[in-house]
Amino acid sequence: MKKNVGILLLFLLLGWLAGAWIAKALEPVQALSFLTASTLIKWSPQANLDIISYDITIQMNLSLLSLIGIIVSVWLYRRL
C-alpha cells in the first residue's frame, strides 16, 4: 500500500495540535512545567519589488508535549 504525503501531513498537524492542547490544559500544574513550556519560532519574509510587496509572518509554538504528539502521530502513521 502506497502511503500518501497528504495523510502524513494531516497526522503531523493533528499530533501537534493534540500535544499543544494537552500542554495548554496542563499549564496550571507546576510539576509539569518542563513539558508545557513553549518556545516561539517566528519567520517573517518580506519584500518590496515596486509593483508588488508582501509581508508574511509565520509563528509556531513548540513545547515538549507538542513534540511528543508529533512523534506519536508519525508512529501511528507508520502503523497504517
Side-chain angles (χ1 to χ4, degrees):
M1 178 173 132
K2 184 177 179 192
K3 296 188 179 183
N4 189 351
V5 175
I7 298 296
L8 174 61
L9 292 176
L10 179 65
F11 268 65
L12 291 173
L13 181 63
L14 291 176
W16 191 359
L17 280 173
W21 287 336
I22 293 169
K24 188 86 162 173
L26 294 176
E27 270 182 355
V29 181
Q30 282 294 332
L32 299 176
S33 65
F34 69 98
L35 289 174
T36 60
S38 65
T39 301
L40 178 68
I41 300 170
K42 186 176 179 180
W43 182 50
S44 298
Q46 58 186 358
N48 185 358
L49 306 172
D50 288 333
I51 59 170
I52 190 169
S53 65
Y54 65 88
D55 184 9
I56 301 169
T57 301
I58 298 172
Q59 294 183 358
M60 299 181 285
N61 277 328
L62 198 59
S63 67
L64 193 53
L65 280 172
S66 296
L67 285 175
I68 291 169
I70 291 170
I71 291 168
V72 168
S73 69
V74 169
W75 179 75
L76 287 172
Y77 175 77
R78 290 177 58 90
R79 289 188 51 109
L80 284 180

